[in-house]
Amino acid sequence: EKASFADAMLQLAQLPWSQICQLPRHGMGFEIIARTSISGGAIPDIISEDTNIIAFRFHKLAPMVGFRREDTFYVVWFDRAFNLYKH
């Protein structure tokens, strides 16, 4: 899983956000998760109400979930057990 995470981050870092937005969500793309869907952990205060929560797949279908600020994606959770939000 650590190698998959590093590979995913390396691949994503090579692409501009405009291209990432066009990728399939179960590939290297992402999906936006509704704040009301988060049930497996408290949402940190750093993620304001107007900030999208984003999930990228990093190991098979397991998502890393976090938020984007400008050109940086911040990982907050690894949802390896698929219990952070409704999938």
Side-chain angles (χ1 to χ4, degrees):
E1 289 178 358
K2 287 188 277 186
S4 295
F5 170 69
D7 289 344
M9 294 304 284
L10 181 63
Q11 289 175 0
L12 290 168
Q14 306 301 312
L15 301 172
W17 276 101
S18 60
Q19 191 172 351
I20 292 170
C21 290
Q22 297 174 14
L23 297 172
R25 70 184 178 105
H26 283 143
M28 287 302 300
F30 65 89
E31 64 181 315
I32 295 174
I33 307 302
R35 296 176 73 84
T36 56
S37 294
I38 302 293
S39 61
I43 299 173
D45 291 338
I46 194 167
I47 304 175
S48 61
E49 291 288 330
D50 63 339
T51 300
N52 286 330
I53 297 174
I54 300 171
F56 283 98
R57 307 297 180 217
F58 78 97
H59 180 71
K60 300 179 183 174
L61 290 180
M64 53 182 163
V65 182
F67 65 99
R68 174 185 169 192
R69 184 146 306 140
E70 296 181 15
D71 286 338
T72 303
F73 176 70
Y74 296 90
V75 178
V76 178
W77 301 279
F78 291 99
D79 191 16
R80 296 168 46 230
F82 299 96
N83 60 7
L84 179 67
Y85 63 95
K86 293 181 183 178
H87 290 262

